[in-house]
Amino acid sequence: MRPPREVTKRTLEQRELARIPGTNGDALRGIQNLPGVARPPGLAGLLIVRGASPNETNIYVDGTLVPIVYHFGGLSSVIPTEMLDKIDFYPGNFSTQYGRVTGAIVDVGVHDPVVKKDKKIHGLAQADLIDARVLAQGPIGNTGWNFAVAGRRSYVDVWLKPALEAGGAGVSTAPVYYDYQAMLQREWGNGKHNVRFFFFGSDDRLSVLVKSVNGSNPGVGGNVTLGTAFYRFQARYVGKLSPDTELRVTAAVGKDALDFSLGDNFFVLTSYPINPRAELTQKITQGVRNNFGLDMLYTPYSVDVRLPPPPRPGEPPAGPFGARPPLQEQSTDTIYRPGIYDELELTPFKGTRIIPGVRLDYTKDTKSWDVQPRVTARQELHSEFPKTTLKGGIGRFAQPPQPQETNRVFGIPGLTSNIANHYGLGIEQEITRQIEFSTEGYYRQYDQLVVPRVGNVGEGHAMGLETLLRYKPDARFFGFIAYTLSRSVRRDGPDQPERLFAFDQTHILTAVGSYRLGNGWEIGGRYRVVSGSMVTPQAYGFYDATSGAYVPLTSFPPNSERNPVFHQLDVRIDKAWVYSWGRLSMYLDIYNVYNAGNVEGVSYNYNSTLRTNATGLPILPSFGMRVDL
């Protein structure tokens, strides 16, 4: 396996993907335990990396960009664990093959259909308190083609909605999600060529009926709905054209849909992304390899929106949300963002690896090119076991403004890209054959940040130290201890005060371990201690005669308080039985074992004179059963 082209590349292996406690066996939720990844607030399915906002992290499925990675509430990911081969996570200073984002990259690798020695079709079925899933895969006769099909549906709505209605709750809710996958794959030439067609998608629906009027927002009532859906049809070819030449081509087309309504306000977005990319890798001479690639995003879209405009920084809102004069926009347009990159892999000396590269991205909205030079280096200080590697990198990263930020009604036309300069320096050390240690310091400088309804006047920085002590999976045990010390600040203009960013978390400590006891038993635990999330407190409100409600005054600058420290223990117990016909397994995943009442937010009464802490999920056991045939 070739060394990474990035300063830091963290890869979760198959054994770890399905056994991290507190994730209900969901592989993609395991990313949230790695160094540099902050804990998302409440049940939000967000990835917060190195003090950046969630929209600064791009999610790919084998090189194809997807809009979301988690279903509602973050309880499950949009690709089931059973179809994953690995997850590559790049928290910063990533390769020029990725662009249009200033934060981090997650690239989910989906494995080809599994064909066992008996050449028969095999499958599985699994159900727990959250969702149920099925999968079948195998060869298609003697054609040389292999297939895999899978599907999943949640049924939280089956038991949650009746429970809320029976308890006389002020709202009734019915969240439900689906995801589906279908794959055809074939290889030839003794494995030198591989072609694959992959169709996958996700659909989430949430409907809330507000039965009583909110005292501080009397204009908000009726139905609250939220729907997100996407699908992709992906075609991929990977081939070794010669001993020195490799080609990888991926093309995907699909649809994204977002439908949100709150009373009389709504936001409806439909888009049809087309995302082709190709990379040609050529060995030029001994110690020199070149990677040249094309990466295009072309997305026609239509939007219909009726919402109040957000206030400018430091400006109090003009009345309660439900009573503010809304703006309305209905339009169609196209996102066009072609990119090109070139990258050299240089190994001039034994143990030395230098990767300079440059990426150029064009953005139709800004009518400009972003030139992004980057370079990373790895130097083995000790090449034999136990290996010691020094690593570092520096690079420029550009993220185009969002379409709503350049919209003529809700934004400001003529914006330029957000810019972040990444700096990183770290070391990797093998301690034993199974235990490895790594640490990295990073600094990320932000410039030209888009401030809503103001312009490219924002700036800031994020810095920190990430440490990982990992025991690589063996026949019995895997585990790791991850610690992150970080600071993330922003400024909404040169004359504005510096403030902690909304997603800043100073300390993040996670310990994970899982041990096979024998006779099919496995037990694992996860313990987390995290600094509380940021809060912007409200002061006494003033009475708005027009709306008949109190308008709260929020403190400035925002994020001046922090919730109490978060701490939680999760435990998972697995038991498996192997029979001649297949395998039967059961598991119990207990979230928040000692029922910690962690504070997730603050709620206020109608005139902001009283505040109450809102706590997160209590102890939540999830029992599941799985059959592998």
Side-chain angles (χ1 to χ4, degrees):
M1 180 180 295
R2 285 159 56 190
R5 288 149 64 177
E6 296 78 10
V7 176
T8 297
K9 172 184 176 180
R10 306 197 193 279
T11 300
L12 293 176
E13 299 181 11
Q14 186 64 35
R15 167 83 192 283
E16 300 166 291
L17 292 179
R19 287 292 187 269
I20 295 179
T23 64
N24 207 43
D26 193 283
L28 281 166
R29 289 181 62 197
I31 300 173
Q32 298 173 344
N33 300 284
L34 295 177
V37 182
R39 191 188 70 85
L43 288 174
L46 304 175
L47 275 177
I48 304 166
V49 183
R50 290 186 173 178
S53 63
N55 67 4
E56 291 179 60
T57 296
N58 270 356
I59 311 296
Y60 294 86
V61 175
D62 277 323
T64 293
L65 187 66
V66 295
I68 59 173
V69 66
Y70 299 115
H71 290 295
F72 284 152
L75 296 175
S76 297
S77 60
V78 296
I79 302 290
T81 301
E82 295 76 20
M83 296 201 72
L84 299 186
D85 178 46
K86 62 179 181 177
I87 301 173
D88 291 333
F89 171 56
Y90 310 101
N93 267 314
F94 42 85
S95 163
T96 56
Q97 64 182 308
Y98 302 107
R100 309 186 191 97
V101 73
T102 55
I105 296 294
V106 175
D107 201 343
V108 179
V110 181
H111 63 66
D112 291 338
V114 176
V115 178
K116 296 188 177 182
K117 293 181 179 180
D118 61 8
K119 302 293 184 180
K120 294 182 179 179
I121 296 174
H122 294 266
L124 65 88
Q126 177 175 318
D128 54 37
L129 297 178
I130 297 175
D131 58 39
R133 69 197 77 178
V134 293
L135 179 146
Q137 58 187 338
I140 304 178
N142 297 316
T143 63
W145 288 90
N146 306 312
F147 83 97
V149 292
R152 172 168 52 180
R153 185 201 192 276
S154 72
Y155 44 83
V156 176
D157 57 310
V158 174
W159 53 267
L160 179 58
K161 182 177 180 179
L164 288 173
E165 292 177 342
V171 299
S172 64
T173 179
V176 62
Y177 62 78
Y178 306 83
D179 60 59
Y180 44 89
Q181 302 82 29
M183 181 185 295
L184 286 175
Q185 174 268 338
R186 186 184 183 187
E187 67 178 30
W188 66 95
N190 293 323
K192 293 182 179 180
H193 304 275
N194 188 310
V195 65
R196 191 174 76 185
F197 301 98
F198 186 30
F199 179 71
F200 61 99
S202 168
D203 193 306
D204 292 46
R205 300 291 162 186
L206 174 66
S207 177
V208 178
L209 176 62
V210 181
K211 297 181 178 180
S212 58
V213 175
N214 187 319
S216 61
N217 260 313
V220 176
N223 288 330
V224 180
T225 63
L226 175 60
T228 62
F230 80 90
Y231 66 79
R232 294 289 186 274
F233 179 76
Q234 178 193 76
R236 189 196 70 173
Y237 167 78
V238 179
K240 197 170 182 63
L241 306 183
S242 75
D244 297 331
T245 307
E246 299 176 15
L247 177 64
R248 184 185 183 97
V249 179
T250 304
V253 297
K255 178 181 179 180
D256 298 340
L258 174 62
D259 185 350
F260 166 76
S261 67
L262 175 61
D264 294 330
N265 298 287
F266 57 86
F267 180 88
V268 180
L269 173 66
T270 305
S271 60
Y272 300 90
I274 302 171
N275 185 200
R277 61 185 301 142
E279 181 177 278
L280 180 68
T281 298
Q282 177 68 50
K283 181 180 177 181
I284 298 175
T285 185
Q286 185 66 32
V288 180
R289 183 185 297 267
N290 187 73
N291 304 307
F292 175 78
L294 302 172
D295 175 15
M296 178 180 291
L297 182 64
Y298 181 82
T299 308
Y301 71 88
S302 63
V303 62
D304 189 5
V305 57
R306 184 182 190 271
L307 289 172
R312 292 180 172 85
E315 178 182 270
F321 178 85
R324 298 179 209 167
L327 299 177
Q328 191 158 352
E329 167 79 346
Q330 187 174 14
S331 62
T332 59
D333 205 339
T334 301
I335 295 174
Y336 178 51
R337 296 174 181 174
I340 184 173
Y341 65 89
D342 193 60
E343 192 172 65
L344 284 173
E345 298 182 54
L346 307 175
T347 53
F349 313 105
K350 181 180 179 181
T352 301
R353 184 175 173 83
I354 303 171
I355 305 177
V358 64
R359 182 181 176 101
L360 287 81
D361 280 305
Y362 178 79
T363 303
K364 172 177 172 285
D365 296 351
T366 63
K367 295 180 175 60
S368 62
W369 288 89
D370 289 308
V371 182
Q372 303 154 76
R374 305 171 192 175
V375 61
T376 64
R378 301 175 66 87
Q379 176 63 56
E380 293 180 359
L381 303 180
H382 188 271
S383 299
E384 305 300 325
F385 176 82
K387 185 183 294 186
T388 303
T389 304
L390 184 67
K391 59 184 182 179
I394 181 173
R396 183 176 177 87
F397 300 80
Q399 181 166 339
Q402 301 295 317
Q404 67 271 19
E405 293 174 332
T406 58
N407 182 268
R408 59 184 177 82
V409 175
F410 287 87
I412 302 176
L415 295 175
T416 59
S417 293
N418 303 270
I419 299 297
N421 296 312
H422 291 202
Y423 308 87
L425 182 64
I427 191 168
E428 297 174 355
Q429 176 66 57
E430 290 181 334
I431 299 176
T432 70
R433 296 291 183 184
Q434 293 298 133
I435 301 175
E436 57 187 17
F437 172 83
S438 65
T439 186
E440 180 184 350
Y442 68 87
Y443 183 83
R444 184 181 294 164
Q445 177 189 2
Y446 288 100
D447 292 305
Q448 299 177 202
L449 294 181
V450 174
V451 178
R453 305 186 69 200
V454 177
N456 287 97
V457 298
E459 56 188 39
H461 67 266
M463 57 183 177
L465 180 69
E466 300 170 356
T467 302
L468 179 66
L469 180 64
R470 182 188 184 202
Y471 188 97
K472 293 184 290 186
D474 61 19
R476 288 277 187 178
F477 179 77
F478 78 83
F480 58 83
I481 299 175
Y483 172 69
T484 303
L485 174 67
S486 65
R487 196 71 161 177
S488 183
V489 299
R490 298 291 186 275
R491 189 197 306 270
D492 292 326
D495 58 343
Q496 296 295 313
E498 191 174 76
R499 56 180 171 82
L500 286 176
F501 192 44
F503 298 102
D504 175 79
Q505 290 178 8
T506 308
H507 303 281
I508 308 169
L509 175 65
T510 304
V512 172
S514 187
Y515 185 76
R516 287 176 174 168
L517 301 171
N519 295 321
W521 288 96
E522 183 170 356
I523 185 169
R526 176 182 68 171
Y527 185 68
R528 293 179 291 167
V529 180
V530 184
S531 298
S533 54
M534 304 306 302
V535 177
T536 301
Q538 295 180 2
Y540 289 95
F542 63 88
Y543 183 74
D544 181 71
T546 303
S547 63
Y550 283 84
V551 179
L553 295 176
T554 56
S555 64
F556 187 81
N559 309 322
S560 57
E561 288 186 10
R562 191 184 293 275
N563 285 327
V565 172
F566 171 95
H567 56 92
Q568 183 172 297
L569 173 66
D570 309 309
V571 171
R572 180 183 174 98
I573 303 172
D574 288 82
K575 170 61 177 172
W577 297 267
V578 179
Y579 301 98
S580 58
W581 49 264
R583 187 171 184 266
L584 172 66
S585 57
M586 296 183 181
Y587 65 86
L588 177 63
D589 202 332
I590 307 175
Y591 182 88
N592 196 5
V593 171
Y594 57 82
N595 199 28
N598 290 300
V599 177
E600 297 289 0
V602 178
S603 60
Y604 292 84
N605 67 339
Y606 73 100
N607 63 356
S608 302
T609 57
L610 296 175
R611 56 185 285 177
T612 304
N613 288 334
T615 57
L617 284 177
I619 180 173
L620 181 63
S622 178
F623 175 78
M625 179 181 296
R626 172 168 166 165
V627 177
D628 291 82
L629 300 174

